[in-house]
Amino acid sequence: MKRFLMAFGAVCVAAGGFFLTNDTQGEEHKTITYHSHKKTMEMNKDIEENMSRFYYDSGYDFSYPEDGVRGIYVTGHSAGGERFQRLVDLIDSTDLNAMVIDIKDDYGNLTFDPQDEVDLPNIGKNMISDPVQLMDALEENEIYPIARIVVFKDTVLAEDNPDWSFKENGNVWKNGKGEAFVNPYVKDVWEYNVKIAKEAAKLGFKEIQFDYVRFPEGFEKRDEVLDYSRGDFGKEGNNIQQRVTAVTKFVEYAREELQNEFDVDVSVDIFGYSATLDEAPGIGQNFSKISDNVDIISSMIYPSHWTPYFGIDKPDLHPYELTKEYAKVENEVLGDLENPPESRPWIQDFTASWLGSGNYKPYGVEEVEEQIKALNEQDIDEFLLWNANNNYTEGVDYTP
């Protein structure tokens, strides 16, 4: 869904009315024409579903890239620090054109410190000390802004509200990495994250990307052990179906809430293997159902993250082949949907040395280009580059 920015005006007139010109560049370009009072009759008329809406106007003018989004991941520290200019220079000197910037990170922290008048929880870490300056720089350099919001992996919120989380022996349950999750069945958690997403839209971000829209990995092994509420979702279906329903309904709710007020797209990050299954049983992700409720679907298809799949024994050694085979499957699944979203996968720009000798290789120009080429050959023209430290390979042709 690629829309043009629409002006939003809240207008009060004591007597008579007025019409605005189509110019949306500022108050100084508006003309006012008064008219006399007219006798009117009350009429009920259906509003067309595709009728233009008035959206919140952030004051920024970002256009969806004509050739599709080709973006990089940017942490809050990078966005607010010295590395930001280097990343801007990378985009300005290549065919990249977008940044996915952390607004709520993997721990549950906001990456900026909200002003007093903003109704947000006190979880800001001031990584981005001046969000306005950040957005100004993105607009000046014509970089398409995407706000990443980590949803259900949220140690901060879980510890502040244990009843919104999963508990074990009375304490907040954490995985082997010491990370806590909040409960996707709890609608207060939905509202909490959507409130943050709306503030990101007010800042000027044109897309809200939700990540960790799922239950913890391996949850099917502990769903009957941990203490948690199933809210409105515990009455119909089995455990797997209830998890899928909760995750899908959150995405549907978030998109509707955001697009009622803002001219933004909504995207979701999802495990690539979810496209190869009817349902990912533990985490509650159904690829088709989530895709039905987003504008962009971003599968994480890093070759290093696959076990032997598609007949490829060591996927990290074969970035072109793995990406090509995955894209074929995804295209088939999305092709069955009435209104499929844009496909914009996350691809690998890092070296997975933790896989051990013989199971990985260093990733550089050739490996990144092979993934992009494989996507392009399957008619997928958009992609996002992942490197957790934001150290991206130099010299890559992003349109091979």
Side-chain angles (χ1 to χ4, degrees):
M1 177 174 54
K2 305 177 178 75
R3 307 188 195 88
F4 293 99
L5 183 67
M6 298 187 62
F8 176 89
V11 184
C12 296
V13 179
F18 68 89
F19 300 94
L20 300 181
T21 67
N22 289 328
D23 195 322
T24 60
Q25 298 304 308
E27 294 292 338
E28 66 276 16
H29 294 288
K30 297 175 182 177
T31 59
I32 301 176
T33 305
Y34 289 92
H35 59 73
S36 59
H37 290 284
K38 293 173 63 178
K39 184 176 181 180
T40 61
M41 296 179 61
E42 182 178 350
M43 296 179 63
N44 293 321
K45 186 176 180 180
D46 293 334
I47 299 176
E48 297 180 13
E49 289 186 4
N50 61 352
M51 183 176 178
S52 296
R53 297 178 180 178
F54 289 99
Y55 294 109
Y56 180 92
D57 182 6
S58 67
Y60 292 102
D61 185 14
F62 292 105
S63 297
Y64 198 101
E66 291 184 3
D67 297 329
V69 167
R70 297 184 292 271
I72 58 174
Y73 165 62
V74 180
T75 67
H77 288 295
S78 290
E82 294 180 358
R83 184 170 294 176
F84 179 71
Q85 187 57 52
R86 296 202 296 272
L87 296 175
V88 169
D89 292 342
L90 170 66
I91 290 178
D92 284 348
S93 62
T94 66
D95 286 311
L96 295 171
N97 55 30
M99 286 186 179
V100 180
I101 300 175
D102 275 345
I103 290 299
K104 176 170 174 266
D105 68 15
D106 292 53
Y107 300 99
N109 300 306
L110 281 180
T111 58
F112 67 100
D113 192 8
Q115 300 300 310
D116 293 338
E117 63 269 17
V118 176
D119 182 23
L120 285 179
N122 185 26
I123 55 173
K125 289 298 182 182
N126 205 33
M127 303 173 200
I128 303 171
S129 61
D130 192 339
V132 173
Q133 185 180 55
L134 169 68
M135 300 308 297
D136 288 347
L138 295 175
E139 183 182 42
E140 180 182 349
N141 290 277
E142 298 182 350
I143 297 173
Y144 194 71
I146 303 170
R148 177 177 179 257
I149 294 176
V150 176
V151 182
F152 297 122
K153 187 172 83 164
D154 192 331
T155 302
V156 171
L157 183 59
E159 291 180 342
D160 286 348
N161 294 272
D163 290 339
W164 292 2
S165 183
F166 306 101
K167 290 188 283 189
E168 185 175 39
N169 299 323
N171 299 314
V172 172
W173 172 84
K174 295 183 179 180
N175 62 19
K177 298 179 181 179
E179 303 162 331
F181 278 67
V182 285
N183 184 355
Y185 289 126
V186 176
K187 291 184 178 178
D188 286 328
V189 174
W190 299 10
E191 295 171 5
Y192 176 93
N193 282 279
V194 169
K195 181 184 291 187
I196 292 170
K198 288 182 177 181
E199 292 303 323
K202 289 178 183 177
L203 286 175
F205 285 93
K206 291 296 293 177
E207 180 177 321
I208 305 300
Q209 181 190 94
F210 292 112
D211 200 358
Y212 284 87
V213 185
R214 60 177 178 83
F215 286 77
E217 290 179 78
F219 193 75
E220 69 276 13
K221 298 177 182 178
R222 49 181 67 93
D223 60 350
E224 296 290 352
V225 177
L226 298 178
D227 179 23
Y228 60 97
S229 167
R230 298 191 189 189
D232 298 332
F233 301 95
K235 298 177 182 179
E236 297 184 9
N238 58 31
N239 291 0
I240 294 173
Q241 294 166 338
Q242 290 169 8
R243 288 195 287 272
V244 167
T245 299
V247 168
T248 304
K249 287 295 184 181
F250 163 74
V251 176
E252 180 183 14
Y253 164 82
R255 186 190 191 194
E256 181 178 357
E257 284 288 309
L258 284 163
Q259 293 184 346
N260 277 339
E261 300 180 40
F262 303 96
D263 181 25
V264 296
D265 284 337
V266 172
S267 60
V268 164
D269 296 336
I270 190 169
F271 280 137
Y273 77 82
S274 294
T276 69
L277 306 170
D278 290 336
E279 290 172 337
I283 61 177
Q285 287 186 340
N286 180 301
F287 187 89
S288 295
K289 290 181 178 179
I290 289 177
S291 295
D292 260 334
N293 290 284
V294 294
D295 304 294
I296 298 99
I297 191 74
S298 288
S299 297
M300 297 172 285
I301 59 172
Y302 321 120
S304 61
H305 282 44
W306 294 82
T307 56
Y309 234 85
F310 308 117
I312 303 172
D313 185 37
K314 297 179 179 181
D316 193 66
L317 303 181
H318 306 281
Y320 173 82
E321 292 80 5
L322 184 283
T323 305
K324 178 181 177 180
E325 293 306 314
Y326 169 81
K328 289 179 180 179
V329 172
E330 185 189 89
N331 281 341
E332 184 176 348
V333 174
L334 293 181
D336 289 336
L337 301 181
E338 184 176 349
N339 295 299
E342 186 77 38
S343 173
R344 189 196 299 153
W346 281 101
I347 62 175
Q348 180 172 330
D349 191 0
F350 58 86
T351 296
S353 56
W354 63 84
L355 294 174
S357 179
N359 298 310
Y360 80 96
K361 64 177 179 178
Y363 269 53
V365 171
E366 181 179 354
E367 290 73 23
V368 174
E369 290 181 353
E370 284 181 346
Q371 294 171 84
I372 297 170
K373 180 181 178 182
L375 291 175
N376 292 167
E377 288 177 353
Q378 300 303 313
D379 297 320
I380 299 174
D381 299 319
E382 301 198 357
F383 62 85
L384 301 171
L385 296 170
W386 181 268
N387 182 290
N389 296 317
N390 303 164
N391 293 319
Y392 295 99
T393 301
E394 296 182 1
V396 173
D397 180 358
Y398 294 109
T399 57

